[in-house]
Amino acid sequence: MEVNRRQFLTYLGAGTAALASLATGIPALAKGETISGKTADHLFGLDTTPKKFNPKFSPIQPSTKDDVILPDGYRYDVVAVYGDKINSAGDTFGFNADFNCFLPIDGNPNHGLLWTNHEYLGELEYYVTGYDVLNAAEENKRTPEQIEKYLYALGGSVIEIKKENGKWKLVSDSKYGRRVSGLTKHELTGPAKSIAKEVIGTFANCSGGVTMWNTILSCEENYMDVVEDCKLQEANHYGWVIEVDPFDPKSTPKKHTALGRFSHENTAMVIASTGQLVVYMGDDANDQYVYKYVSNGKYDPSAGKANSKLLEEGTLYVANFSKGKWVALDLAKNEALQKAVDADKKPLFQTQADVLVNCREAAKAAGATAMDRPEDVEVHPIDGSIFISMTNNSKHGNFYGQIVRMFESNDNHAGTDFTFEIFATGGPQSGFAAPDNMAFDSAGNLWVVTDISSSSMNTGIYKSFGNNGVFFVPTSGSNKGQVEQFASAPVGAEMTGPWFTPDETTLFLSVQHPGENLQAYDKPTSHWPKGGSSVALPGVIAVTGF
Ligand code: FEO
Ligand code: CA
Ligand code: CA
Ligand code: CA
């Protein structure tokens, strides 16, 4: 481990835990605990000691090819694509794969459950429901049958996968295989649970995270598009973080209202030095905010899945970057929220549920700093600093984005003060643009995927970047902050959901929306992964060769 000691101490202060962490390379956490960015393998008896992961590869050049391009010595298996059968009941893998999380079965890094998000359909909806988005009239003419297909294609999938003879494969009749979709019943928890007795469906599931107790958190992002397309009435039922237990196919997914309602990108969970659970979150839109949730109670490793209760009672904070302060969105204590009024001078927030349902308005009233599309947030596995992708913000002339690195004062993730730096900036000088999802390896290197929109890709100011890609960025040592390209996506696609197996021999990635931005449905621009004249299929790949 090569943390820059001077910078590390400057930002974190010389706390005992921080010093111990520097000396040993062990994260400043209690033994046996893992933090987000690594697979939650602690319940499965695997060694969680940080390894000297030192991936060697010759960086690739930007590419416009219609394939997943990898460095020499690396290869990929297609694990699952849209429409693949995932259980004996005949459920099928959803569309536009996004976030992935691999959970080993009995600690086996070559056999486990993969959770994958299915985010949206967009113009590729035609290939799912038959509705012609490119030539659609103003009026929404989707039939009930088309809407049902639409909602089923979104949400998430649990699939069972295995590596046999060096090749990853889907188990198509798994007892774990499960769809959680736009048609699945959910329970609400937390201060805003009274807004509905039950909620049907999850969709717009962008990225997510894993919990310490091996469940999945999946984030509802641009839910408003789906609400409109599917003629749904209750927009307040969406825009939450959901929790799913992949190991219990009969469990009812929960929507945790204490984590607020906005266009959630992902979650990054960590245990603070106080023992409280902290969840960092971004709201992916121009001029939106960075949040963190701090539980009232403390994490109890022996309580297992009962720790989920920690996501029901706590404080939601929003970041003020100009002051380096986390501001509590707590109506009982926050005067700005109490005094906030609408155009008719009526109070904006009567209850804490109002604050949580209308988080964006609350954050604005509380003086939060408007950011440049905060997408993925991840916690550094060695020093606990927080990395935040700011994808871009055309309203500010920020077209290439940047990655912010935040340092909580006194190494306390539950605290209210922080400092920050700009860790890396997008642009032709660094070779990447529009950073989105991130993953850390156990040595603290950052793996970043990019999200140049399919309509901008390979044109104008984005031409030099080629297709979207995957980038490797050391966070310490002499190459700190220097970006190298590891992979390039097929035409029109974006690589999403990077996730390593616990032994770091496989990197899962989604290939999302290949063939997007096409002119006519009978002239697909991507034929990934089947080639020929086939229509492209979004899905998940397993990259090996590390
Ligand atoms: Fe769904 Fe923020 O990308
Ligand atoms: Ca995303
Ligand atoms: Ca994105
Ligand atoms: Ca995107």
Side-chain angles (χ1 to χ4, degrees), residues 98 119 206 221 265 284 373 375 391 434-437 450-451 494 496 512:
D98 201 312
E119 190 180 16
C206 189
E221 192 196 52
E265 175 72 26
D284 179 8
R373 286 187 64 197
E375 291 210 74
T391 297
D436 189 347
N437 298 155
T450 55
D451 180 13
E494 158 189 7
T496 54
Q512 198 189 43

Side-chain angles (χ1 to χ4, degrees), residues 316-436:
L316 186 65
Y317 294 87
V318 68
N320 181 323
F321 281 81
S322 69
K323 296 187 171 141
K325 290 272 184 208
W326 288 106
V327 182
L329 296 179
D330 179 345
L331 187 61
K333 294 180 189 154
N334 188 320
E335 273 190 36
L337 296 182
Q338 294 160 9
K339 287 182 182 159
V341 289
D342 63 15
D344 301 324
K345 304 265 187 263
K346 289 209 190 89
L348 270 181
F349 313 107
Q350 310 262 15
T351 63
Q352 185 60 20
D354 291 343
V355 170
L356 294 168
V357 169
N358 305 289
C359 253
R360 286 181 167 178
E361 290 76 12
K364 189 174 183 188
T369 305
M371 306 301 285
D372 294 342
R373 286 187 64 197
E375 291 210 74
D376 232 53
V377 184
E378 298 293 340
V379 180
H380 193 291
I382 296 168
D383 69 17
S385 59
I386 298 107
F387 286 65
I388 312 166
S389 281
M390 302 290 169
T391 297
N392 50 32
N393 191 338
S394 55
K395 287 166 73 181
H396 300 172
N398 179 358
F399 296 101
Y400 296 135
Q402 70 271 10
I403 299 172
V404 168
R405 185 178 193 172
M406 177 190 268
F407 304 87
E408 296 278 25
S409 297
N410 303 314
D411 199 15
N412 179 11
H413 293 96
T416 55
D417 299 276
F418 65 86
T419 59
F420 69 96
E421 67 181 25
I422 309 301
F423 170 72
T425 48
Q429 83 293 345
S430 56
F432 76 102
D436 189 347

Side-chain angles (χ1 to χ4, degrees), residues 2-44:
E2 301 163 82
V3 172
N4 178 326
R5 187 182 176 92
R6 182 179 57 78
Q7 290 186 339
F8 187 77
L9 294 179
T10 304
Y11 289 115
L12 289 185
T16 322
L19 284 172
S21 171
L22 261 185
T24 60
I26 305 293
L29 292 168
K31 196 172 182 298
E33 292 168 356
T34 58
I35 61 181
S36 183
K38 295 182 66 184
T39 303
D41 49 15
H42 54 291
L43 296 182
F44 299 89

